[in-house]
Amino acid sequence: MTLGVTAVTFSHERQCATRFRAEAASAQWDLARIVDALEACCRVSRLRAHRLARGWTLAQALTELKGMCRSQNLDPGGVTDEQLRAWETGRRPRDRVITILCQLYETDRPGLGLARSTSVAVAARPGEPAPGRRGTRSEESLDELAESMRIAVDRTLADTTVSTTQLDQLEERLAALRVSYMVTPPTDMLVLLLSDLGEVRMLAASRQPAATQVRLSEMTAVLSTLIADALMKLGRIQQSQRWYGTARAAADDSGNAELRARVRAQAAMLPYYYGPLDLASRLAREARYLSSRRPTETAAFAAAAEARALARQRDHEGALTAIRHAQDVFDRCQHGAAVEDAWAFPRRRLLLYFSGTYTYLGMTTMARRVQQEALGLYPDQSGIDPALLRLEAAMCLAHERSLSEACDLAVDAYLRVPAAHRTKILGARAGDVLAILPVSQRTARPARQLGEILALPPGTM
C-alpha cells in the first residue's frame, strides 16, 4: 500500500511540474515562481521543488551536480541519488553540500528551504543572545538570514515580466481601441477588447513594481468599462453589471481618483437606462464627490449624469442644479484634443446628457435647442449617440401629444442606424416614445407601426 501511495504522489508531482512549466512558458514565469507553485500545490520541500521545476529526475539531478563539481573542481563527497532523495524529504545535508546545492539550483539557502533556523528575534531581550545559542553564533545566523532575505527581495524587485516599452505599446493600442469603439459594432468590439484585456491580465498576474502595477490596473479599468458598455448596448444587463463591478475594482486598485470617478460616471449609464434609477444617481454623485477637487471633464460628466438621473426620478430642482454645476465645471476645465474617443467627454456628449435631462423634465424647448446643437457636432459615422438624440426629440413630440410626428421620427431614427449598431438599448429608447404616449393613442396606426418595427429582429429592415 505504501508503494502505491508513493507512486501516485510522484505521478502527481510530475504532472504538476509539467503543467506549471507549460504555464511558465506562456506567462513568462521564472523558475522561482514555478518552485513556489510546486511547493504550495504538492506540499514538497523547496529542494525537491527546485528539481521538479527543472524537469529533472533524481538521476539527472545527480548527473548535473557531479558535472558541475567536476567543472568547478568541487568535492561533493560520495553523493548518491538516495541521499538526494533523503535531503529532499527532511534530512539536512552538511553545510558544504548545501553550498554546492545552492550553486546547482542557482539560489541561496532560504531559496532551498535550508537556511539555518534562528530564534534571535524571539524571547531574547535587547543586547542578549537568543536562548540556547552563543551571542556570536546568533549574530552570524542573523546576518546570514538578513543578507539572504535582502538578496531575495532584490531579486523579486528586479524580476518583472513587462518593460516600459511594452506598457507604452499596450497604452497606444488601448488609445486606438477607444477611437475604434466610436464606430465599431459592439459585438465586434467585444472580441478586440477581451483580447487586449487578456494580455493585460497576464502581465498583472505576475509581481510588478508599484508604478507598473498602477498602469496595468488603469488599463484594466478602462478595458473593463468599455466591455461593460458594449454589453449594455447589447442588452446583456447582468453581464454588464458584473463588468462594471470589475472596472470599479480595478480603478480603486489603481488609486487614481480621476479614473475612479470616471468609471463610476460611466457605470451610472446602466441603471439610468435599465434601472434602478436611485443607483444611477448614487453612482453619479459618488463620481462627482471623487472629482470635486478641481474642474475636469470627468467632474462635468459626473454632474451631467446625475442631472439626467434625477430628471427621470422627477427631481426637477435637483436636476437643474446639477445641470448648472455641470455647465460651470465644463466651462472652466481644460479639454483634451481628442473628440473621436470613447473616453473623451466633449461638448456634444455634455449636450446629449442635457437633452435627456430636459426631455424627462418636460422642458421640450430647451431639449430641442441642445439636441439641434449636439447633432451639428456629430459626424456622419459616430455610433448611436445621434440616434439617441433623435429619439429624445421624438419623446419631446410625444410629450406634446404629436402622435404621428413622434412615431415617424422614432422610426426614422431607429432605421437610420446600421443594423450592426441597432442593438437592444436603441430599441429600448425607441420604446420609451410609446411609453410616453397616452394609453388611448398606443393603439393608433403610427404607434402600432413603431411597435411592429421594434418587435422585428435587428437587421431585418
Side-chain angles (χ1 to χ4, degrees):
M1 178 64 72
T2 303
L3 289 175
V5 171
T6 302
V8 170
T9 301
F10 289 166
S11 175
H12 167 75
E13 293 171 4
R14 286 193 296 270
Q15 290 173 1
C16 288
T18 301
R19 175 165 56 87
F20 287 134
R21 287 198 301 274
E23 290 182 12
S26 60
Q28 298 180 331
W29 291 1
D30 62 2
L31 274 169
R33 179 101 181 248
I34 306 175
V35 169
D36 290 341
L38 284 166
E39 182 184 25
C41 176
C42 303
R43 304 197 176 237
V44 295
S45 67
R46 289 193 67 80
L47 182 60
R48 188 181 193 86
H50 270 280
R51 175 173 63 78
L52 293 170
R54 289 163 171 77
W56 293 347
T57 63
L58 282 167
Q60 288 171 326
L62 184 61
T63 300
E64 293 286 339
L65 185 146
K66 289 183 176 179
M68 183 194 74
C69 289
R70 280 196 300 272
S71 66
Q72 298 185 26
N73 198 26
L74 300 173
D75 178 18
V79 179
T80 65
D81 54 0
E82 287 302 318
Q83 282 181 305
L84 283 177
R85 188 196 303 278
W87 295 335
E88 289 180 355
T89 54
R91 184 179 299 173
R92 183 179 179 84
R94 297 189 300 274
D95 282 353
R96 176 172 57 81
V97 175
I98 293 176
T99 301
I100 293 173
L101 291 171
C102 287
Q103 289 181 256
L104 174 66
Y105 291 122
E106 299 177 312
T107 186
D108 51 24
R109 292 180 181 229
L112 290 180
L114 294 172
R116 287 196 183 100
S117 60
T118 176
S119 56
V120 173
V122 180
R125 293 178 187 152
E128 291 185 6
R133 290 186 179 271
R134 297 177 182 271
T136 302
R137 186 63 172 169
S138 297
E139 290 170 6
E140 289 176 357
S141 299
L142 181 58
D143 288 344
E144 180 182 327
L145 179 61
E147 180 63 11
S148 296
M149 183 57 67
R150 185 192 64 77
I151 291 170
V153 170
D154 282 349
R155 184 186 300 120
T156 300
L157 291 171
D159 179 27
T160 63
T161 60
V162 59
S163 66
T164 302
T165 301
Q166 282 178 288
L167 287 174
D168 291 343
Q169 290 173 346
L170 278 171
E171 287 178 340
E172 288 170 5
R173 279 160 47 190
L174 178 53
L177 282 175
R178 284 161 34 180
V179 173
S180 298
Y181 190 87
M182 302 294 290
V183 295
T184 305
T187 302
D188 297 338
M189 204 67 226
L190 278 172
V191 176
L192 301 174
L193 293 168
L194 289 167
S195 175
D196 271 23
L197 182 58
E199 185 171 343
V200 172
R201 188 211 65 81
M202 182 184 72
L203 295 174
S206 300
R207 190 267 162 205
Q208 305 293 349
T212 299
Q213 199 66 48
V214 165
R215 291 177 70 180
L216 290 170
S217 293
E218 289 173 345
M219 283 187 269
T220 300
V222 174
L223 285 164
S224 297
T225 299
L226 295 178
I227 290 169
D229 188 73
L231 289 166
M232 178 188 69
K233 290 178 180 177
L234 293 170
R236 300 177 186 175
I237 310 307
Q238 290 184 339
Q239 287 176 282
S240 176
Q241 188 176 46
R242 289 194 289 266
W243 273 103
Y244 272 127
T246 298
R248 288 167 61 187
D252 291 349
D253 184 62
S254 75
N256 183 329
E258 177 81 3
L259 181 61
R260 293 178 65 204
R262 176 57 68 98
V263 169
R264 282 163 171 77
Q266 291 280 156
M269 285 195 290
L270 182 65
Y272 171 77
Y273 286 121
Y274 296 103
L277 287 170
D278 60 337
L279 177 59
S281 56
R282 179 170 62 80
L283 285 170
R285 193 174 302 115
E286 285 181 16
R288 184 163 58 83
Y289 290 158
L290 284 168
S291 56
S292 62
R293 293 186 178 180
R294 56 192 180 92
T296 62
E297 287 187 346
T298 295
F301 181 9
E306 185 178 6
R308 69 175 189 173
L310 292 173
R312 290 198 69 178
Q313 292 175 281
R314 305 186 185 281
D315 183 349
H316 194 280
E317 183 178 350
L320 292 180
T321 299
I323 270 193
R324 288 192 293 269
H325 180 67
Q327 185 67 70
D328 175 65
V329 172
F330 189 85
D331 290 342
R332 291 188 294 118
C333 73
Q334 292 184 340
H335 302 283
V339 175
E340 304 304 324
D341 183 332
W343 210 251
F345 193 72
R347 180 166 179 77
R348 68 192 192 190
R349 283 199 72 197
L350 177 74
L351 295 173
L352 171 67
Y353 278 68
F354 285 1
S355 169
T357 304
Y358 290 132
T359 297
Y360 278 101
L361 290 178
M363 301 172 66
T364 57
T365 301
M366 289 295 296
R368 284 195 181 92
R369 186 180 301 168
V370 297
Q371 287 157 8
Q372 290 170 2
E373 183 184 350
L375 285 169
L377 297 174
Y378 279 96
D380 292 336
Q381 300 294 325
S382 51
I384 66 171
D385 283 2
L388 293 174
L389 286 162
R390 293 187 181 97
L391 288 171
E392 286 175 351
M395 291 179 205
C396 290
L397 290 168
H399 277 301
E400 295 168 344
R401 302 297 187 262
S402 298
L403 170 65
S404 296
E405 292 89 341
C407 293
D408 289 347
L409 180 55
V411 168
D412 178 69
Y414 183 71
L415 295 181
R416 187 182 297 192
V417 177
H421 286 279
R422 211 180 297 150
T423 55
K424 290 186 178 180
I425 192 171
L426 205 62
R429 301 303 285 154
D432 286 345
V433 176
L434 295 174
I436 293 172
L437 293 171
V439 176
S440 60
Q441 291 187 349
R442 294 178 194 175
T443 56
R445 185 189 61 78
R448 290 202 315 273
Q449 182 184 20
L450 174 57
E452 289 166 1
I453 289 173
L454 297 179
L456 293 173
T460 56
M461 291 190 67

